Amino acid sequence: MSVRFSHKSWTRSWCIVVLVALWAILYLPHLRTSPAWYGDETLTLMIGKSLFQGEGADRALLATFWHPHYPYQPGYAWVVGFASTLSGGDIYGARFFNCLLALVIALLILIGGRRLFGTRPALVGALTFLSYEQSVIHFRWIYSHNAVALGFLITVLCLLRKSVFRRDILAGCGLALAALSHPLFVHGSIAAWLCRIKRPISWFWLAFPPALALFTTLGWTLLRHVPLNWIFEDILTLSQFYGGYTQENGSGWKVLKNIVEFYFQDAFHIGSLFSAVICCRKKYYPIPIFLTVISVLLLQNRQNLTLFYYQAVVILPLLALAYAGALNVIDVRLRLLFGRKSGWVFCVFVAIPLFLLFASLLPSVTGNLRPRNEHWVTQNCEEVEAVAKWINAHVCKRDMVVCHQNLGWLLECRTTDLIQVTAWSGRTTLTFEKNMDKERFLFPADIWETRYIVIGDIDQRWTFGQKNVSWILDLIRSKKWKMVWQGPNYTIHENPRFTLKPE
């Protein structure tokens, strides 16, 4: 019995091969240390490992997953912990999982977009997404926003097709995936409702999966902390925390200014903006609706989204999808005008991912990816590992070390950081604007209970600039904590209580 392959099936197969090959080249080389470690990703890694072990703690603090210090949801974090366990607790496994999310997104743009736009436009959209340097950087990092991006893409691909039960429930599942990862799922839920506002029968199936996911995580968190009502306190604190940002950064014309600065930050975003405008037609309206709603809601309280791009990752696949939709619209219009295929339009659009590839290929393969917020990432991963090696040789598991999470994930003992130590001391600081109950701590984050305090690059550049944290530096100097290790960016100071004790 012979098997026959059509030309279209071969074309699709080669497209998939090209995407996988490009993904492997751009996303896998030097994955462990390029880009360098960033605090939000190492914090997620540590909480994920704690969750997978059944503890669910943010180092010294019991996590509710709604507190401003870590407001991300436990579903994504648990998977990160599982992926890290597969690599022996190393960051590589969790980073590889996020790279897989990028590959899945690209394949969905190709396969899901093929029926909507055609194979060639869908391929352009997938290549554009994979090749953009911010995609390469942020889908190597460990961010719950990456899972939200995948969820939103699934939702939009379903909303772009005719509304039937199966597609509506799948669109809701995309929102559920986002809900298990980050509170930003709310933005996508609003956009999805607007896309189906004329079809009330779809509302329930769009809302049911994310509601189920949300109530599941809320119920699980409540059961962990019964009879205490910390989670409700944290939700209120979180809303006030971001409400303050909205008032500061989103009043008056600031929202419009933020949007203009975001969409005119580089050629990729300018092109995606014009592509989204081209998609403003009956067939493709969910794309501009999602981009408009999420952009406005995100940028109402974010002036620095171009610098700290990770939050914008949630719409990154949709920006690439807009390119595919625009190519199809232009191609169809030119065919109607000239009565034949316009291959040159495809060539023009293919130049977009090629242009992006030139910017991202060399840094990827040489391990020299530099994020825009490079000033606040680990400056030397090798030095951090040297610090961790020294500390692990001088502590036991019951010891506590105060350090930034960029180092803490490598240590084999209890860790906390300068922010949590400040909160334990009764002082208010960033994300801890209210005094924390001591019973909310898994173990005392008391500075006099720590064996070592490690001051690193991020502490010098960021942490000591936060409210009420500098007292720790004053204490180290006044009480003459001995410096027992020094490098270009890190110093280790030993608690005087332990100086005279044997190792």
Side-chain angles (χ1 to χ4, degrees):
M1 180 178 177
S2 62
V3 180
R4 300 179 62 184
F5 295 94
S6 68
H7 172 71
K8 288 186 177 181
S9 67
W10 273 110
T11 301
R12 291 193 295 269
S13 299
W14 276 110
C15 289
I16 292 174
V17 170
V18 168
L19 287 181
V20 174
L22 180 64
W23 169 79
I25 292 170
L26 289 179
Y27 288 77
L28 298 185
H30 308 282
L31 175 59
R32 188 174 183 272
T33 56
S34 178
W37 305 324
Y38 183 52
D40 283 7
E41 74 154 342
T42 50
L43 178 60
T44 303
L45 173 65
M46 294 187 71
I47 292 176
K49 290 165 70 173
S50 173
L51 257 179
F52 186 72
Q53 295 166 2
E55 195 169 63
D58 173 5
R59 294 158 298 168
L61 188 69
L62 292 169
T64 65
F65 304 97
W66 289 94
H67 190 272
H69 196 61
Y70 187 83
Y72 311 145
Q73 297 302 288
Y76 171 85
W78 186 92
V79 177
V80 163
F82 170 71
S84 174
T85 302
L86 296 178
S87 61
D90 194 77
I91 198 172
Y92 180 85
R95 282 194 165 191
F96 183 74
F97 163 69
N98 280 267
C99 289
L100 286 178
L101 292 180
L103 177 60
V104 171
I105 287 173
L107 292 175
L108 280 178
I109 293 175
L110 173 65
I111 298 170
R114 178 178 58 83
R115 294 183 180 180
L116 297 164
F117 317 117
T119 300
R120 294 192 303 175
L123 177 62
V124 167
L127 290 174
T128 300
F129 168 75
L130 280 182
S131 302
Y132 184 43
E133 187 176 31
Q134 296 306 315
S135 295
V136 179
I137 289 173
H138 288 86
F139 280 88
R140 283 170 171 247
W141 269 339
I142 304 167
Y143 277 118
S144 58
H145 304 75
N146 299 341
V148 176
L150 174 59
F152 284 176
L153 176 64
I154 292 171
T155 300
V156 171
L157 288 174
C158 292
L159 295 176
L160 283 166
R161 303 182 68 183
K162 184 178 179 181
S163 175
V164 296
F165 166 75
R166 179 170 57 87
R167 291 177 192 143
D168 287 342
I169 197 72
L170 185 56
C173 288
L175 296 174
L177 175 60
L180 290 170
S181 307
H182 197 289
L184 282 175
F185 84 93
V186 174
H187 297 356
S189 300
I190 295 172
W193 174 71
L194 288 174
C195 291
R196 289 286 190 259
I197 194 170
K198 293 183 178 181
R199 187 174 168 79
I201 195 173
S202 300
W203 298 354
F204 176 79
W205 300 116
L206 286 173
F208 177 72
L212 179 63
L214 181 62
F215 283 117
T216 299
T217 56
L218 278 172
W220 173 77
T221 307
L222 284 170
L223 287 174
R224 290 176 63 233
H225 300 302
V226 166
L228 303 170
N229 61 346
W230 296 337
I231 188 169
F232 300 112
E233 294 177 6
D234 287 352
I235 291 174
L236 178 60
T237 302
L238 184 66
S239 64
Q240 293 171 344
F241 181 77
Y242 283 106
Y245 275 121
T246 300
Q247 186 175 3
E248 177 183 352
N249 299 325
S251 59
W253 291 95
K254 288 183 180 179
V255 176
L256 181 60
K257 178 177 178 289
N258 295 344
I259 292 174
V260 170
E261 289 181 352
F262 177 77
Y263 277 101
F264 284 86
Q265 62 181 288
D266 58 25
F268 169 82
H269 286 82
I270 294 173
S272 67
L273 176 62
F274 285 103
S275 296
V277 172
I278 294 173
C279 289
C280 289
R281 56 198 305 270
K282 185 176 180 180
K283 193 175 181 181
Y284 299 142
Y285 68 88
I287 297 175
I289 285 180
F290 256 76
L291 289 177
T292 301
V293 170
I294 296 176
S295 296
V296 170
L297 293 176
L298 269 182
L299 292 163
Q300 67 175 330
N301 57 16
R302 285 292 180 270
Q303 289 180 308
N304 58 358
L305 211 59
T306 54
L307 182 63
F308 297 94
Y309 191 86
Y310 61 89
Q311 295 178 84
V313 166
V314 300
I315 59 172
L316 195 47
L318 306 183
L319 297 175
L321 198 65
Y323 279 101
L327 172 56
N328 178 255
V329 172
I330 294 173
D331 191 44
V332 169
R333 293 298 177 117
L334 289 176
R335 287 188 193 186
L336 291 174
L337 288 173
F338 300 106
R340 59 186 177 85
K341 293 183 177 181
S342 49
W344 63 270
V345 178
F346 173 69
C347 294
V348 170
F349 270 79
V350 165
I352 296 170
L354 289 177
F355 172 77
L356 297 173
L357 182 61
F358 288 138
S360 57
L361 180 59
L362 185 61
S364 297
V365 298
T366 59
N368 196 33
L369 286 167
R370 297 185 180 278
R372 294 172 180 174
N373 58 343
E374 184 182 14
H375 183 76
W376 293 277
V377 304
T378 296
Q379 301 302 299
N380 188 329
C381 293
E382 292 182 357
E383 181 186 3
V384 175
E385 293 191 273
V387 175
K389 183 178 179 180
W390 189 94
I391 292 177
N392 287 333
H394 291 80
V395 297
C396 60
K397 287 188 176 181
R398 67 176 180 272
D399 286 331
M400 182 175 73
V401 174
V402 175
C403 64
H404 193 269
Q405 56 265 25
N406 284 351
L407 168 65
W409 74 270
L410 287 162
L411 300 185
E412 299 170 358
C413 63
R414 298 182 301 169
T415 67
T416 186
D417 66 2
L418 300 172
I419 296 289
Q420 290 187 350
V421 167
T422 300
W424 173 270
S425 72
R427 299 170 172 86
T428 59
T429 186
L430 181 70
T431 69
F432 292 95
E433 302 297 337
K434 299 178 181 178
N435 290 329
M436 299 290 289
D437 295 334
K438 292 294 194 290
E439 59 186 353
R440 295 194 59 170
F441 286 81
L442 182 65
F443 55 84
D446 188 340
I447 195 169
W448 290 108
E449 296 296 324
T450 184
R451 179 71 183 266
Y452 300 108
I453 290 180
V454 183
I455 299 176
D457 42 18
I458 312 304
D459 300 313
Q460 299 171 46
R461 299 182 179 204
W462 181 81
T463 314
F464 283 120
Q466 306 311 310
K467 183 173 65 174
N468 293 331
V469 178
S470 60
W471 71 277
I472 298 174
L473 198 57
D474 296 335
L475 183 143
I476 290 174
R477 291 167 178 167
S478 63
K479 300 301 181 181
K480 297 181 180 180
W481 288 48
K482 181 181 178 182
M483 183 188 297
V484 293
W485 194 96
Q486 183 175 19
N489 300 291
Y490 280 76
T491 56
I492 305 175
H493 303 265
E494 187 175 23
N495 188 335
R497 289 182 54 199
F498 294 88
T499 302
L500 301 178
K501 294 183 180 181
E503 294 289 345

